[in-house]
Amino acid sequence: MMTVSLAILGLLTIAAPWLISHFGRRFGYLAALVSLASFLWFFSLIPRITSGDERIEELPFLPTLGSAFTLRLDGLALVFALLITGIGTLIAIYTVGYLEDHPRLARFWVSLLLFQTAMLGLVLADDIVALFIFWELTSVSSFFLIGFADERPQARANAQQAFIVTAAGGLLLLVGLLLLAEQRGSFSLRTLLSAGTAQPTDALTTAAFLLILLGAATKSAQFPFHFWLPNAMEAPTPVSAYLHSATMVKAGIYLLARIAPEFGRHPWWQPSLLTLGIVTALVGAALAVLQRDLKRLLAYSTVSALGMLVILLGLGEAGSKAFAMFLLAHALYKGGAFLIAGIIEHSTERRTLDALGGLWCRLPTLTLATLLVVAAAVGLPPTLGFIAKEATLEVGLNVMPSLLFALLVVAAVGQATVAWLLLRPLFARPPEILYPHAPHWSLLVGPTALGLLALAGGFFSAPLGRIVSAIVASVRGSAVLVVEIALWHGFTLVLGTSVLVLVTAGLLALTWPQLAQFGDHLAATTPLGEPPRGLGRIAPERGYRGLMATLTRVAIMQTRILQNGYLRVYITIIILTAILLVSASIVRATFPRPATFPGVTSVDVVDAILALIIIVSSFVAVRATERLAAIAALGALGFSLALLYARYGAPDLAITQVLVDTLTVVFLVFAFYRLPRYARLSSTAARARDALLATAFGLMMAGFALLIHLFRYPERTSVFFAEQAYLAAHGRNVVNVILVDFRALDTLGEITVLGLAALGVTALLAIGKGARSR
């Protein structure tokens, strides 16, 4: 059923343009039903998974590499699957009222459904090849969603930035996973991460851990890669709520939690994650309270929350319970907060805090949903946010050093301040009277449902405890343990710290106008095309822009040299590169011992005549002053080669050569009278250079062919292909089997190149025909 769920989402992605052309905005309800069906199926597995069972599905996939398309559902994967499908259902309904009948609705849905499919596949994948494919698909789909409004330069630039940062991290992740696969001989995550398979201090294991950590850090917007997430707020609000708060940005968190059972014992695990998490949490919280834009404010607070999750993972088993609860609580209240921001912008066409206020009396349903979300976000009892905050502060107080715990509290204050600021559009005095239009009911379903779920979490401690237990078991790599969750622990130091966080955050929220002015003075973010100011001069984003500018300059420089538009330059560079590389290989193979080629005992007369024809034809073709003589020489050369192929047991190659040369001669004869007269277009020195280059290439190929006789491998590839052509590929024509089976990807690449060339020629012909008609 996991495979079926992915297949249905994939088919819906493909069929979306056609369905939208028939149903319009109502397609969102169909997408919601599909997501809801998946959610209900995953929900039905909660009793089985929380009791310690796992569900595994496997399909054949790259068997020669030892890779299989394996899906695995345990406690951690189940919770993420529920978040992806459940919040995906609400996002689909929300999109109906948000985008309405947008002209690019089909493009949006294709990208969003592609993301949902990829994200669900990512958390279910147990094979590193499949995991990497799904990982990069989330980056690709995010690129299209962030750049949805591609008429805006800022949207295009930010989409490119998010893609480059996350895709580069994906490549680092791939290298790390492949290092593990090479070391441990498997592509299965269960095998790679099984405890005790290697010494945790191995250099290879350490390198793999650092590469995986960097990949996760880029995806989950950890410092110094955090800047792409606030800039991704150019995307429509459904994207921000789904990808950039509840699901995609937690892909890195999911990966770290998945590898925790093995790498949690590594001596670099705790210092690396604690440092990364604390810096990210503090930077995100500090920048969040300085923002005026409502979505950027929520984005920076998401960065801070992601840093908090990394901190809890870095604390090992002690932080796993708080990690599980904070993961659930943040997905609910932050997704609801983004949806509320989208409703405010949709109803008022504004989203800066100082331009909003007084909406409580005009949008009462939105006010109720906002109060629910804010209560969970600041951690008021009896919400799930309160339980998660208490658990986080408790583990910090008991495990972390005093200084680190104080920094954790500061980050919590910043996050709570952002939550209080969500009330400002409702209750602050507006600068002018606003007349917002009432939001469509579909816009209110999402934040209301998420707020109610966050509220209900505090009342259903037993079911919540079983889900948290399953997550903790996955993170620890142990059997499912009973995790006790209680709403009230009495008057404790943790409760006092929690109240201090709430009060301090409330006071900071009251002084937000002064904080925003201070943020303007610092100017930590720089709009596209403007020189950096204030902290923007040392911000990590400036490093990204400097790197991209350097790459652009290098690309322009090498393009002027290597891609200058002259075909003769391209061919010269290709031939020179081939000569140098192959010649170096020949010298390396024959040094220090000289090559001993087999002697020539006799020369067949027919072979000698054909060789002489080829030599003479080549000379005539390049020296002829008449076009007809050159064409005849090319024909004689080609047919002589075909005869040589036929004499030495390659009839298929001979037939191909005859066909190619026949068509070439025929086409040249047909175009004979339309071609311009021969003219000397190059200097004598240029022709001498070309002749020297061609001679060198010929000598290199001759040396390479002769060098083959020096090597005698115990197993000849020809024997292998002859034996396996029918057994493995069910074909008797060995050449055809090699082309379409053993070298299928090469053939596919050649077909793709020819297809693209044909499309280009067709487009040029269509343009020419249109120009002539005008």
Side-chain angles (χ1 to χ4, degrees):
M1 283 299 296
M2 292 186 286
T3 308
V4 171
S5 297
L6 289 174
I8 291 175
L9 281 172
L11 291 174
L12 186 63
T13 303
I14 297 172
W18 180 80
L19 292 172
I20 290 171
S21 66
H22 287 76
F23 297 105
R25 72 166 78 176
R26 291 175 296 172
F27 172 80
Y29 300 131
L30 175 61
L33 285 175
V34 172
S35 297
L36 180 61
S38 297
F39 173 81
L40 292 176
W41 182 79
F42 284 113
F43 188 83
S44 68
L45 295 176
I46 290 179
R48 175 179 170 182
I49 301 300
T50 54
S51 64
D53 198 3
E54 287 186 353
R55 185 182 180 95
I56 296 176
E57 298 177 9
E58 184 172 320
L59 295 174
F61 178 68
L62 299 177
T64 55
L65 296 179
S67 174
F69 185 77
T70 307
L71 302 179
R72 174 192 179 196
L73 188 70
D74 62 353
L76 183 65
L78 176 63
V79 169
F80 272 91
L82 289 171
L83 292 175
I84 292 164
T85 54
I87 297 179
T89 302
L90 300 176
I91 293 296
I93 298 173
Y94 185 91
T95 303
V96 174
Y98 189 85
L99 288 183
E100 300 175 342
D101 293 315
H102 197 284
R104 300 174 186 165
L105 196 61
R107 192 177 82 177
F108 176 85
W109 274 114
V110 168
S111 301
L112 188 66
L113 290 171
L114 175 63
F115 167 79
Q116 185 174 356
T117 306
M119 190 66 202
L120 185 59
L122 189 157
V123 300
L124 297 176
D126 186 59
D127 178 80
I128 63 172
V129 177
L131 185 145
F132 173 73
I133 292 173
F134 287 128
W135 182 282
E136 292 298 82
L137 278 177
T138 60
S139 297
V140 172
S141 53
S142 174
F143 168 78
F144 289 112
L145 290 168
I146 297 171
F148 179 68
D150 56 12
E151 70 276 5
R152 297 203 303 266
Q154 191 71 52
R156 298 195 301 271
N158 291 353
Q160 183 187 64
Q161 181 186 83
F163 178 75
I164 290 174
V165 173
T166 56
L171 295 177
L172 297 176
L173 168 67
L174 176 63
V175 175
L177 292 175
L178 290 179
L179 286 177
L180 284 182
E182 176 67 22
Q183 182 192 50
R184 306 184 182 185
S186 175
F187 284 88
S188 171
L189 281 175
R190 284 171 296 165
T191 304
L192 294 179
L193 303 176
S194 57
T197 55
Q199 293 297 325
T201 54
D202 285 350
L204 193 61
T205 303
T206 301
F209 163 63
L210 293 177
L211 289 169
I212 294 173
L213 178 60
L214 285 172
T218 58
K219 199 72 155 186
S220 289
Q222 300 296 295
F223 184 89
F225 310 108
H226 65 285
F227 53 85
W228 73 263
L229 181 55
N231 292 337
M233 295 303 106
E234 287 288 334
T237 297
V239 176
S240 303
Y242 193 34
L243 276 70
H244 303 136
S245 68
T247 54
M248 174 182 165
V249 292
K250 289 191 174 68
I253 303 298
Y254 164 81
L255 185 63
L256 291 177
R258 179 61 75 197
I259 67 174
E262 171 68 3
F263 286 102
R265 301 180 296 111
H266 196 284
W268 289 22
W269 173 270
Q270 188 174 78
S272 299
L273 266 67
L274 287 181
T275 302
L276 190 66
I278 287 174
V279 174
T280 302
L282 290 174
V283 170
L287 293 177
V289 298
L290 304 179
Q291 303 300 312
R292 295 182 183 272
D293 183 275
L294 188 55
K295 286 180 66 175
R296 289 184 67 86
L297 178 142
L298 293 174
Y300 276 113
S301 71
T302 300
V303 170
S304 180
L306 293 170
M308 195 82 75
L309 287 169
V310 173
I311 293 172
L312 295 173
L313 283 174
L315 294 176
E317 293 186 359
S320 56
K321 174 184 173 182
F323 166 79
M325 289 189 288
F326 191 80
L327 176 71
L328 291 170
H330 180 263
L332 296 179
Y333 71 70
K334 190 53 65 68
F338 269 106
L339 294 179
I340 288 169
I343 296 174
I344 293 173
E345 182 183 10
H346 193 271
S347 299
T348 65
E349 298 183 354
R350 304 179 183 186
R351 73 182 202 194
T352 53
L353 283 177
D354 44 3
L356 294 167
L359 297 180
W360 69 272
C361 58
R362 300 184 182 275
L363 302 174
T365 308
L366 175 64
T367 301
L368 176 61
T370 304
L371 290 175
L372 290 173
V373 170
V374 170
V378 298
L380 292 177
T383 64
L384 179 59
F386 172 76
I387 300 175
K389 185 180 67 173
E390 294 284 293
T392 301
L393 293 176
E394 181 180 9
V395 70
L397 186 63
N398 295 333
V399 177
M400 299 176 69
S402 300
L403 177 60
L404 296 185
F405 177 68
L407 296 177
L408 180 72
V409 171
V410 171
V413 169
Q415 295 177 38
T417 303
V418 171
W420 285 124
L421 288 174
L422 281 177
L423 299 177
R424 184 177 178 85
L426 302 177
F427 301 108
R429 179 179 298 176
E432 57 181 291
I433 298 178
L434 300 176
Y435 298 96
H437 63 81
H440 191 264
W441 68 267
S442 60
L443 294 173
L444 296 168
V445 171
T448 304
L450 293 173
L452 289 174
L453 284 173
L455 176 65
F459 295 103
F460 297 95
S461 57
L464 178 64
R466 288 195 293 272
I467 294 175
V468 170
S469 299
I471 300 175
V472 170
S474 297
V475 175
R476 293 181 179 179
S478 61
V480 175
L481 304 173
V482 178
V483 176
E484 297 292 339
I485 294 179
L487 185 61
W488 178 252
H489 296 86
F491 294 97
T492 62
L493 181 59
V494 173
L495 180 63
T497 306
S498 178
V499 173
L500 176 64
V501 168
L502 288 177
V503 174
T504 307
L507 294 175
L508 285 175
L510 293 176
T511 62
W512 174 82
Q514 291 75 28
L515 292 175
Q517 290 180 358
F518 181 66
D520 295 338
H521 178 71
L522 291 178
T525 57
T526 305
L528 181 68
E530 295 186 10
R533 308 185 306 273
L535 288 181
R537 296 189 181 94
I538 59 173
E541 186 175 3
R542 189 182 183 189
Y544 164 82
R545 294 188 179 184
L547 175 62
M548 296 308 298
T550 302
L551 289 176
T552 302
R553 287 194 297 269
V554 172
I556 293 173
M557 180 181 65
Q558 71 86 23
T559 299
R560 289 173 179 169
I561 300 173
L562 303 178
Q563 300 286 329
N564 53 15
Y566 293 101
L567 182 60
R568 62 178 182 272
V569 176
Y570 301 164
I571 296 175
T572 300
I573 292 173
I574 292 172
I575 293 177
L576 276 175
T577 303
I579 291 173
L580 292 175
L581 294 179
V582 177
S583 298
S585 299
I586 293 174
V587 172
R588 182 180 178 184
T590 58
F591 184 83
R593 60 185 180 87
T596 54
F597 299 109
V600 179
T601 57
S602 63
V603 177
D604 188 86
V605 176
V606 177
D607 292 345
I609 293 173
L610 291 175
L612 181 62
I613 294 174
I614 291 172
I615 295 172
V616 173
S617 299
S618 302
F619 185 77
V620 171
V622 298
R623 295 295 298 169
T625 58
E626 294 293 335
R627 190 172 288 111
L628 186 59
I631 294 174
L634 286 176
L637 186 152
F639 288 118
S640 299
L641 280 174
L643 289 174
L644 278 178
Y645 295 150
R647 284 176 56 80
Y648 285 92
D652 51 346
L653 189 57
I655 293 172
T656 303
Q657 183 72 36
V658 169
L659 291 175
V660 170
D661 275 286
T662 301
L663 290 174
T664 301
V665 171
V666 170
F667 287 153
L668 287 175
V669 170
F670 277 136
F672 187 81
Y673 293 103
R674 293 182 178 272
L675 294 175
R677 282 186 166 276
Y678 268 174
R680 177 169 291 190
L681 301 177
S682 58
S683 64
T684 303
R687 291 197 301 276
R689 178 202 61 203
D690 294 341
L692 181 63
L693 186 64
T695 303
F697 185 77
L699 292 174
M700 178 270 295
M701 290 302 299
F704 180 74
L706 291 174
L707 191 63
I708 294 175
H709 292 282
L710 293 177
F711 300 96
R712 290 293 182 265
Y713 295 100
E715 296 183 5
R716 296 180 61 85
T717 56
S718 57
V719 176
F720 168 81
F721 287 129
E723 292 176 349
Q724 296 296 320
Y726 184 77
L727 295 177
H730 308 288
R732 298 187 184 277
N733 188 313
V734 178
V735 175
N736 289 350
V737 168
I738 291 174
L739 290 175
V740 301
D741 283 282
F742 294 112
R743 294 183 56 204
L745 292 178
D746 291 344
T747 305
L748 177 63
E750 294 167 1
I751 294 172
T752 303
V753 171
L754 291 175
L756 292 174
L759 288 175
V761 171
T762 304
L764 290 174
L765 291 175
I767 293 173
K769 183 178 180 181
R772 286 194 300 270
S773 64
R774 289 194 297 268

